[in-house]
Amino acid sequence: MLIIPVIISILSLFFVGYLISWIQKCDMGTPKMQEIYKAIKNGADAFLKRQYKTIGLMTLFLAVVLFVVYALNDKWLIGMQTSLSFLFGALCSSLAGLVGMWISVRSNIRTASAAQTSFSKALTIALRGGAVSGITIVAMSLLGISGLYFIYSAFGYLPNEIPSLLVGFSFGASLVALFAQLGGGIYTKAADVGADLVGKIEKNIPEDDPRNPAVIADLVGDNVGDCAGRGADLFESTAAENVGAMILGVVLFPYFGINGILFPLVIRGFGLLCTIVGIMVAKAKETDDPLKALNKGYFVTCGLAAIAFYFVTMQMLNNILFFYAGLVGLAASIVFVFVTQYYTEHKYRPVQEIVKASATGHATNIIAGFAVGLECTAATVITIAAALLASFKLGVMTDLPSGGLYATAVATMGMLSTAGYVLAMDTFGPITDNAGGIVEMSGASEEVRLITDKLDSAGNTTKALTKGYAMGSAALAAFLLFSAYFEEAKLTVVNFARVEVFVAGLLGAMLVFFFSSLAIRAVGKAAGKIVEEVRRQFKADSGLMAGTSTPDYAKCVDITTKSALQEMIWPGLLAVVLPIVVGVLFKAEAEAGFIMTATIVGVLLATVFNNSGGAWDNAKKFIEMGNFGGKGGDAHKASVTGDTVGDPFKDTAGPSLHVLVKLLGTLSLALVALFI
Amino acid sequence: MLIIPVIISILSLFFVGYLISWIQKCDMGTPKMQEIYKAIKNGADAFLKRQYKTIGLMTLFLAVVLFVVYALNDKWLIGMQTSLSFLFGALCSSLAGLVGMWISVRSNIRTASAAQTSFSKALTIALRGGAVSGITIVAMSLLGISGLYFIYSAFGYLPNEIPSLLVGFSFGASLVALFAQLGGGIYTKAADVGADLVGKIEKNIPEDDPRNPAVIADLVGDNVGDCAGRGADLFESTAAENVGAMILGVVLFPYFGINGILFPLVIRGFGLLCTIVGIMVAKAKETDDPLKALNKGYFVTCGLAAIAFYFVTMQMLNNILFFYAGLVGLAASIVFVFVTQYYTEHKYRPVQEIVKASATGHATNIIAGFAVGLECTAATVITIAAALLASFKLGVMTDLPSGGLYATAVATMGMLSTAGYVLAMDTFGPITDNAGGIVEMSGASEEVRLITDKLDSAGNTTKALTKGYAMGSAALAAFLLFSAYFEEAKLTVVNFARVEVFVAGLLGAMLVFFFSSLAIRAVGKAAGKIVEEVRRQFKADSGLMAGTSTPDYAKCVDITTKSALQEMIWPGLLAVVLPIVVGVLFKAEAEAGFIMTATIVGVLLATVFNNSGGAWDNAKKFIEMGNFGGKGGDAHKASVTGDTVGDPFKDTAGPSLHVLVKLLGTLSLALVALFI
């Protein structure tokens, strides 16, 4: 059975190879564009090199700590295995991030170049660039887990023993993802906010204007945050979810045998095939709405995934009720997409409320946006609750012991079967954003800009949608990981009436708030340094404003790199150290309480951050279309404030919380031996 | 034993009578001041009349529903008892609100008048006005509970049966408090924001300028929100905490007999005596810092409370460990005061960060303030966790069964023994705020304004401190109520690995976020209507700006009243209906999960709202002292944005969450029969 996901993954990587060679053959545009491309590439490479050095050192250190702690408890073998799986997971996650950035840097410039001649071609390049990232991530996660499975089998472990041995892998992946997403998220928003504060507000020059010394740092940010960071993040998600579901499969080992354990891998393999078809059918005519093409591909993927789900479920689990549970998950993912759309698109009531509030000033804009963010938690929670209850009920109806729990795992798999496509849409966002920046900076004509603006606006929507999807799947997966932790820790209850558990719960909720505070402040601090540098450059050389001399882009890139790396350390360490301390001091049951509240609060607060940020962004865009006085009016100024506040919310704190929630799940699983 | 709190309460009410006659004898100032006083009084009376009519109808309706639901389950007697206690609690809570407002309206004008001649006299009037409110509330709560206790005893109930019968009382009090605080909170901030948006920003006239048509509504708001609303809120707190502790006392009935049950009432009675002494010693010389005088009274109260605690504990519980637990609570309350001070006073790093961020614009001011709010949850949670763990540990050392739990109750009593004084300091805030408004509007001289400004600034600090104290005590009390719920529902665990409990937990967290969203949006909507009316008046009559004609204050008051009452309905109903629905659908264990996460999230989010709001406010004040360009500069404009955003945070959403958390505790206790 394991051969199926392996073969599909390898085939998918061949397909990725085809996509890459196709993209590489595309035109690289004017010399001016190539010059900008090189600057972006160098900046991104330099950041990633330094970032991964820091992350690598921390990972190594933690691997040694892991081993030593286990060894001190006389668990040499499990310590060795956990440390090695941990390192392997960390390596794969880093690779996923690197691939994400490698391809996005190369697709940006080609999308920009294609936009000079054809909207349709530009869209295809950007989506295929995204697909390289999305498919590679899912395939690598499947290969990594299958590979470890093979190795452990070869060492004589039984199929029902192996899943618990894989948690080190997903913990390693989570750890790298946390720092990659934090560092990248701080980088991208510090550069963005820093560039805007001086450029747009003080100097009154447009976004992506080549006179702004921070503009290259801003473009680099899209690549290191939205591509590399998100790549590691989503690699970790797929790994954690697979391992969690496999552990629950062990519970049903007496009934399904190895099928229950390998089901998650097989179904995701088929999901990859569906994604490939979806990517190939997503094409647009010259006059089409880009979202129409992207949606077409998405719904094709969903439809095929549903069919594949039916056959795989009937073949491996032979119970139609599990198929229904999978459909529940798939349906929930579609609902998440629509909920996010409702809360972040300008057509609907929430963004319109923010727009209207902008007319009465900065403060009312902020109040309205924040209220929208708080409000949208209701729809999110109701969807998660409905999906969990419905799939659990279906599982209970199978009359298998723990059938309900396993059915929630199947629902999670249903939701995640389209992950590859969703990842492709996600990476589509920063690629088109960068392409727009390159076009703007290279001084291309108005029509070309119109094309990239159209793509960029679609990219903003897909980015928001992915966040909704990612958050929803994080919630389901968290329940999965939590249940798996229960199995591993041999817990039967988490009793919140015990004072240690209650206190741990308080601390878990606190971690989420405090971590968010650190992440947001990090952006503020790093942005402050950039503002100083940009102001310095404008002051030192009056030729900058006139456009007669070139700013020192590299200096800004360097400052952003340094401060983003510095600022990512504390929140990252806090997220790793606090749960360990709580677990060691208060033991397994309190740790469960800690993770539980941290997860619930994390999911909700991330939803607030993501959706309020998206809504503020689109409220500004709606005003910029010429409503309520259009660009430069008072309402516009207020909406820019909201957009700027939303930046660290939606691109630093929100995505980092998403990783944090999953990290807590994998960390507790990997270190459960310490908490008993 | 019960006779002690009853006698002390009656004596305290005599003392209150003395304070009232002392205040009534003070001078009522110039005819101009009296004219303003009348406008405020009429507006406040009109609002309260309509508000309590709405609340009364809802209370009656709910009492009938309560009775019918119990009757349908064939529990006629308990249904009747619960409904009647519920109505009695609601009545007392309403009275507490009315007393708070009655005295504050009368103290405002006399404080304003006294400020013309003596700073010391003005301070004394304001503090004694606050003390009338604080002492009455605590005394009424003791009398109400003792009275019910007498009645139930007369009907032949045993001492260990009575505490559970009292929960209807605290539920009724909570319900009224929720609507009073919500309605009042929406009123006060809608009027404040509405007045500022047109007055300060569009028309560039100072705060409390008589030319602003919304200025009387703003002053009315301080009375109905900060005095009437907070009065009902804190009445409910004291009632809920007493009843919760008494229920835990039942657990120790075999050891302490009736002493364990009556201990909370007796210790709070002595707390009242300490408060009276504290109030009498808090006096200032003409040149003193007002905070010095207030602090002197506070520390005297704390010291006396510690001594009283020793004697009462040794007498009634005869175990020094419980005395230590009480000291832990008292110490925690002092720590909360310092933490709030650190996060909201301009001397310290957090506010300074916001001040600096204001120099780079509106957006960075908001980001910095929000980050400060998120950050301060750490200190709050650590204090709560330490207090709970330490007192629990002390209780475990007594070797009594459930000794740990009872010790946390004793710690809560320790924290609350100074409640009367803290309430007096809290009400001191709106009284001085209003006095400042009256002085400004009556065109008094610069020196008089300096005095009221000094008092107002101290009032802002005490208001912030009380919120920190209230939130900390809410967290401890929530654990108390939660433990009492456990006893009543005969639960032994809350297992978050059950899907219904997990889902209920998600819904509990959601309630807090969604409720906050509704509360914040309510302020926005109501403020929008006021802005329209104020603009209309300025447009219709150009004599307004010139100061030659008088604005139609009553119209603004009327609009604010209507919209605040309208907007309080939905969030209020949500807070009552959702926990009932969850409990009925998913039963007692899931309800516990719901309350647990809602409590944790509610405490943290309220802390974020209260402290970020306070920090923004003081950042603005610091800039207005002439720093960073002072009033009218760009940094000041940015800081005004933060202050305006903070208004609904700290005065509507935060305090309402505080009531919500307690309401959930009392609601679950009162309706536990439905969830089993």
Side-chain angles (χ1 to χ4, degrees):
Chain A
M1 270 295 175
L2 194 56
I3 206 72
I4 297 177
V6 173
I7 291 182
I8 295 180
S9 301
I10 294 175
L11 285 178
S12 308
L13 290 180
F14 277 109
F15 176 70
V16 166
Y18 155 74
L19 287 182
I20 292 178
S21 78
W22 183 87
I23 292 170
Q24 291 280 47
K25 272 185 222 135
C26 295
D27 180 62
M28 285 191 51
T30 63
K32 179 81 192 150
M33 283 180 179
Q34 290 180 27
E35 197 185 297
I36 300 161
Y37 153 74
K38 271 181 206 132
I40 296 175
K41 187 172 161 297
N42 290 341
D45 284 348
F47 176 72
L48 249 64
K49 205 182 269 170
R50 280 158 74 169
Q51 188 188 29
Y52 278 117
K53 209 168 122 192
T54 314
I55 295 178
L57 286 174
M58 283 206 271
T59 311
L60 266 180
F61 174 73
L62 215 74
V64 173
V65 170
L66 265 181
F67 177 70
V68 168
V69 171
Y70 275 100
L72 287 177
N73 286 289
D74 247 346
K75 292 171 181 159
W76 291 81
L77 188 65
I78 188 172
M80 175 85 84
Q81 285 161 347
T82 306
S83 302
L84 287 178
S85 307
F86 174 81
L87 285 176
F88 184 50
L91 186 74
C92 288
S93 185
S94 310
L95 271 176
L98 288 173
V99 168
M101 210 213 50
W102 186 89
I103 190 67
S104 79
V105 170
R106 278 152 188 86
S107 310
N108 304 339
I109 167 91
R110 290 171 175 88
T111 304
S113 165
Q116 295 176 307
T117 53
S118 158
F119 157 75
S120 160
K121 182 86 186 274
L123 180 134
T124 309
I125 296 175
L127 182 63
R128 290 188 173 184
V132 168
S133 202
I135 296 173
T136 310
I137 285 167
V138 178
M140 267 178 51
S141 144
L142 288 177
L143 281 177
I145 291 174
S146 309
L148 276 179
Y149 193 97
F150 271 126
I151 294 172
Y152 283 123
S153 290
F155 275 98
Y157 283 101
L158 295 175
N160 57 343
E161 291 171 343
I162 296 177
S164 344
L165 299 171
L166 300 174
V167 294
F169 179 81
S170 53
F171 180 38
S174 300
L175 189 86
V176 169
L178 182 75
F179 285 102
Q181 179 66 66
L182 251 181
I186 296 169
Y187 188 113
T188 179
K189 287 303 122 175
D192 191 358
V193 172
D196 284 359
L197 278 181
V198 189
K200 279 198 206 165
I201 295 176
E202 292 180 11
K203 296 289 170 186
N204 231 339
I205 55 180
E207 183 139 2
D208 294 329
D209 191 293
R211 288 172 291 176
N212 193 330
V215 69
I216 292 287
D218 187 9
L219 292 172
V220 169
D222 294 335
N223 291 291
V224 301
D226 291 345
C227 296
R230 198 65 49 81
D233 170 2
L234 289 161
F235 175 80
E236 173 263 345
S237 299
T238 53
E241 283 143 5
N242 283 341
V243 172
M246 288 167 82
I247 290 178
L248 290 186
V250 171
V251 186
L252 289 180
F253 191 66
Y255 303 91
F256 297 134
I258 196 172
N259 276 2
I261 296 171
L262 295 187
F263 173 78
L265 299 178
V266 175
I267 194 68
R268 300 207 58 174
F270 280 98
L272 261 184
L273 288 184
C274 305
T275 296
I276 292 176
V277 179
I279 294 290
M280 295 315 284
V281 301
K283 285 191 172 164
K285 295 202 197 84
E286 284 301 319
T287 51
D288 271 1
D289 177 0
L291 274 180
K292 211 181 118 194
L294 297 174
N295 279 338
K296 190 167 78 183
Y298 178 58
F299 285 114
V300 166
T301 308
C302 283
L304 291 175
I307 296 169
F309 221 94
Y310 176 76
F311 285 107
V312 174
T313 314
M314 294 311 282
Q315 189 67 35
M316 294 185 76
L317 307 178
N318 193 26
N319 193 326
I320 190 87
L321 290 166
F322 285 121
F323 166 62
Y324 294 146
L327 281 191
V328 165
L330 200 57
S333 71
I334 298 175
V335 173
F336 280 128
V337 167
F338 281 114
V339 167
T340 315
Q341 233 159 356
Y342 175 73
Y343 277 103
T344 57
E345 284 197 5
H346 67 74
K347 281 186 280 202
Y348 304 103
R349 194 258 312 158
V351 173
Q352 283 305 320
E353 250 179 40
I354 302 178
V355 167
K356 264 179 227 136
S358 306
T360 42
H362 300 264
T364 39
N365 165 285
I366 297 295
I367 292 175
F370 197 66
V372 164
L374 290 171
E375 183 193 313
C376 73
T377 56
T380 307
V381 165
I382 290 168
T383 311
I384 297 170
L388 278 177
L389 288 174
S391 58
F392 191 85
K393 199 89 194 162
L394 286 165
V396 168
M397 283 160 64
T398 62
D399 282 332
L400 295 169
S402 300
L405 217 50
Y406 194 67
T408 61
V410 174
T412 311
M413 291 300 125
M415 173 171 259
L416 293 167
S417 53
T418 57
Y421 191 88
V422 174
L423 293 188
M425 287 212 292
D426 188 35
T427 314
F428 174 86
I431 292 177
T432 53
D433 193 353
N434 253 264
I438 294 173
V439 163
E440 176 84 29
M441 283 193 67
S442 66
S445 71
E446 189 62 29
E447 296 111 68
V448 184
R449 283 192 217 172
L450 275 180
I451 288 179
T452 52
D453 278 357
K454 211 161 108 180
L455 288 172
D456 187 18
S457 151
N460 270 323
T461 304
T462 61
K463 260 160 71 182
L465 297 184
T466 322
K467 277 178 201 146
Y469 172 86
M471 223 39 247
S473 73
L476 284 191
F479 185 67
L480 204 67
L481 292 173
F482 185 69
S483 308
Y485 172 76
F486 248 62
E487 290 300 324
E488 291 294 302
K490 310 264 181 296
L491 282 178
T492 48
V493 293
V494 188
N495 186 1
F496 265 91
R498 280 187 51 210
V499 73
E500 299 93 332
V501 180
F502 183 79
V503 165
L506 271 171
L507 290 171
M510 178 207 91
L511 170 64
V512 171
F513 281 84
F514 193 56
F515 176 86
S516 306
S517 163
L518 290 178
I520 291 172
R521 280 180 63 203
V523 173
K525 280 200 223 165
K529 289 186 193 152
I530 298 164
V531 166
E532 276 169 31
E533 171 61 19
V534 173
R535 282 187 186 154
R536 191 196 60 77
Q537 290 200 23
F538 272 118
K539 212 169 177 180
D541 184 352
S542 57
L544 279 194
M545 240 344 241
T548 50
S549 50
T550 317
D552 185 356
Y553 299 128
K555 181 89 187 160
C556 281
V557 169
D558 190 56
I559 287 174
T560 320
T561 302
K562 266 192 207 139
S563 34
L565 289 179
Q566 200 181 322
E567 297 293 339
M568 84 179 179
I569 304 290
W570 286 116
L573 280 184
L574 175 78
V576 178
V577 171
L578 187 62
I580 298 180
V581 168
V582 168
V584 169
L585 280 186
F586 300 132
K587 299 300 158 198
E589 189 185 341
E591 179 77 358
F594 179 88
I595 292 168
M596 184 93 300
T597 46
T599 300
I600 290 178
V601 177
V603 167
L604 267 73
L605 200 58
T607 308
V608 173
F609 285 143
N610 289 338
N611 286 353
S612 61
W616 269 315
D617 191 350
N618 281 331
K620 183 196 74 172
K621 291 218 165 75
F622 182 73
I623 292 175
E624 285 177 352
M625 288 174 196
N627 303 294
F628 283 82
K631 259 192 179 173
D634 280 340
H636 183 243
K637 277 183 195 142
S639 74
V640 169
T641 295
D643 183 37
T644 314
V645 171
D647 271 342
F649 276 26
K650 74 178 192 298
D651 290 318
T652 312
S656 300
L657 278 182
H658 174 213
V659 191
L660 175 73
V661 163
K662 298 240 181 88
L663 172 82
L664 292 177
T666 59
L667 177 146
S668 62
L669 271 173
L671 301 180
V672 63
L674 299 180
F675 308 148
I676 295 174
Chain B
M1 270 296 172
L2 196 56
I3 207 71
I4 298 178
V6 172
I7 290 180
I8 296 181
S9 301
I10 293 174
L11 286 179
S12 308
L13 290 181
F14 277 109
F15 177 69
V16 165
Y18 156 74
L19 287 182
I20 292 178
S21 77
W22 183 88
I23 293 171
Q24 291 279 50
K25 272 186 222 134
C26 295
D27 179 63
M28 285 187 60
T30 64
K32 178 85 192 150
M33 284 180 177
Q34 291 182 25
E35 196 184 300
I36 301 160
Y37 153 75
K38 271 181 206 133
I40 296 175
K41 189 174 159 291
N42 290 339
D45 284 347
F47 176 72
L48 248 65
K49 205 181 268 172
R50 278 155 78 169
Q51 189 188 29
Y52 278 116
K53 207 168 125 192
T54 314
I55 295 178
L57 285 175
M58 284 206 273
T59 310
L60 266 181
F61 175 73
L62 216 76
V64 173
V65 169
L66 265 180
F67 177 70
V68 169
V69 171
Y70 275 100
L72 287 178
N73 286 288
D74 248 346
K75 292 171 181 159
W76 290 83
L77 187 65
I78 187 173
M80 176 86 83
Q81 284 160 347
T82 308
S83 302
L84 287 179
S85 308
F86 174 82
L87 285 176
F88 184 49
L91 186 73
C92 289
S93 185
S94 310
L95 272 175
L98 287 173
V99 168
M101 210 214 50
W102 187 88
I103 190 67
S104 79
V105 170
R106 277 152 188 85
S107 310
N108 304 339
I109 167 88
R110 290 171 174 88
T111 305
S113 165
Q116 294 176 310
T117 52
S118 155
F119 157 75
S120 163
K121 180 86 186 274
L123 181 133
T124 308
I125 295 176
L127 182 62
R128 292 189 171 184
V132 167
S133 201
I135 296 174
T136 309
I137 286 167
V138 177
M140 265 178 52
S141 143
L142 287 177
L143 282 179
I145 291 175
S146 309
L148 276 179
Y149 193 97
F150 271 126
I151 293 174
Y152 282 124
S153 290
F155 275 99
Y157 284 100
L158 295 176
N160 56 342
E161 290 171 343
I162 296 176
S164 341
L165 298 172
L166 301 175
V167 293
F169 179 80
S170 53
F171 179 40
S174 301
L175 189 87
V176 168
L178 181 75
F179 285 101
Q181 179 67 68
L182 251 181
I186 295 169
Y187 188 112
T188 179
K189 286 304 123 172
D192 191 0
V193 171
D196 284 359
L197 279 180
V198 188
K200 279 199 208 167
I201 296 175
E202 292 179 13
K203 297 288 170 185
N204 233 340
I205 55 179
E207 183 140 0
D208 295 328
D209 191 291
R211 287 172 291 176
N212 193 330
V215 69
I216 292 287
D218 188 7
L219 292 173
V220 170
D222 292 335
N223 291 291
V224 300
D226 291 346
C227 296
R230 198 66 50 78
D233 170 1
L234 290 160
F235 176 81
E236 173 263 342
S237 299
T238 53
E241 284 143 3
N242 283 342
V243 173
M246 288 169 83
I247 290 178
L248 291 185
V250 172
V251 186
L252 289 179
F253 190 65
Y255 303 91
F256 296 136
I258 197 171
N259 277 2
I261 296 171
L262 296 187
F263 175 76
L265 299 179
V266 175
I267 193 69
R268 299 206 63 173
F270 280 98
L272 260 184
L273 288 184
C274 305
T275 296
I276 292 177
V277 179
I279 293 290
M280 295 314 285
V281 301
K283 287 194 172 164
K285 295 203 196 83
E286 284 302 317
T287 51
D288 272 0
D289 177 0
L291 273 181
K292 212 181 115 195
L294 296 175
N295 279 339
K296 191 170 76 184
Y298 178 58
F299 285 114
V300 166
T301 308
C302 283
L304 290 176
I307 297 169
F309 221 94
Y310 175 76
F311 286 106
V312 175
T313 315
M314 294 311 282
Q315 187 68 34
M316 294 185 76
L317 307 177
N318 194 24
N319 194 326
I320 189 89
L321 291 166
F322 285 122
F323 166 62
Y324 294 148
L327 280 192
V328 165
L330 200 56
S333 72
I334 297 174
V335 173
F336 280 126
V337 166
F338 282 114
V339 166
T340 314
Q341 230 158 0
Y342 176 73
Y343 277 102
T344 57
E345 282 196 8
H346 68 76
K347 282 186 278 202
Y348 305 102
R349 194 257 312 155
V351 172
Q352 284 304 320
E353 252 180 41
I354 301 177
V355 167
K356 265 181 224 134
S358 306
T360 44
H362 301 264
T364 39
N365 164 284
I366 297 295
I367 292 174
F370 198 66
V372 163
L374 289 170
E375 184 195 311
C376 72
T377 56
T380 306
V381 165
I382 289 167
T383 311
I384 297 171
L388 277 178
L389 288 174
S391 57
F392 190 84
K393 199 90 193 161
L394 286 165
V396 168
M397 284 160 63
T398 61
D399 282 332
L400 295 169
S402 299
L405 216 51
Y406 193 69
T408 61
V410 175
T412 310
M413 289 302 122
M415 176 172 255
L416 292 168
S417 53
T418 58
Y421 192 88
V422 175
L423 292 189
M425 286 212 291
D426 188 37
T427 313
F428 174 85
I431 291 177
T432 53
D433 193 352
N434 253 262
I438 294 173
V439 164
E440 176 83 30
M441 283 192 70
S442 65
S445 71
E446 189 62 29
E447 297 111 71
V448 184
R449 281 191 218 173
L450 275 181
I451 289 179
T452 54
D453 278 357
K454 212 162 111 182
L455 288 172
D456 187 18
S457 153
N460 270 322
T461 305
T462 61
K463 259 159 74 181
L465 297 184
T466 319
K467 278 177 201 148
Y469 172 86
M471 221 43 245
S473 72
L476 284 192
F479 184 67
L480 204 69
L481 293 174
F482 184 68
S483 308
Y485 173 76
F486 248 61
E487 290 300 324
E488 291 292 303
K490 311 262 179 297
L491 283 177
T492 49
V493 294
V494 190
N495 186 0
F496 266 93
R498 281 186 51 210
V499 73
E500 298 92 332
V501 180
F502 183 80
V503 164
L506 272 171
L507 290 172
M510 179 205 92
L511 170 63
V512 171
F513 281 83
F514 193 58
F515 176 86
S516 306
S517 163
L518 289 178
I520 292 172
R521 280 178 64 203
V523 174
K525 279 201 222 165
K529 289 187 194 151
I530 299 164
V531 166
E532 277 169 32
E533 171 62 20
V534 174
R535 282 187 185 152
R536 189 195 63 74
Q537 290 200 22
F538 271 119
K539 211 169 176 181
D541 184 353
S542 56
L544 281 194
M545 243 341 242
T548 51
S549 50
T550 318
D552 185 355
Y553 299 127
K555 181 90 187 163
C556 282
V557 170
D558 189 56
I559 288 175
T560 321
T561 302
K562 268 192 204 138
S563 35
L565 289 180
Q566 199 181 326
E567 297 293 340
M568 83 177 180
I569 304 290
W570 287 116
L573 279 184
L574 176 78
V576 178
V577 172
L578 186 62
I580 298 181
V581 169
V582 168
V584 170
L585 281 185
F586 300 132
K587 300 298 158 199
E589 189 184 343
E591 179 76 359
F594 179 89
I595 291 167
M596 185 93 297
T597 47
T599 299
I600 291 178
V601 177
V603 167
L604 269 73
L605 201 58
T607 308
V608 172
F609 286 143
N610 289 339
N611 285 354
S612 61
W616 269 316
D617 191 349
N618 281 332
K620 184 195 74 173
K621 293 219 165 73
F622 182 73
I623 292 175
E624 286 177 351
M625 288 174 198
N627 302 294
F628 284 81
K631 258 193 179 174
D634 280 341
H636 183 244
K637 277 183 194 141
S639 73
V640 169
T641 296
D643 183 36
T644 313
V645 171
D647 271 342
F649 278 26
K650 73 177 194 301
D651 289 319
T652 313
S656 301
L657 279 181
H658 174 214
V659 191
L660 176 72
V661 163
K662 298 237 182 92
L663 172 80
L664 292 177
T666 57
L667 178 146
S668 63
L669 271 173
L671 300 181
V672 62
L674 300 180
F675 309 148
I676 296 175

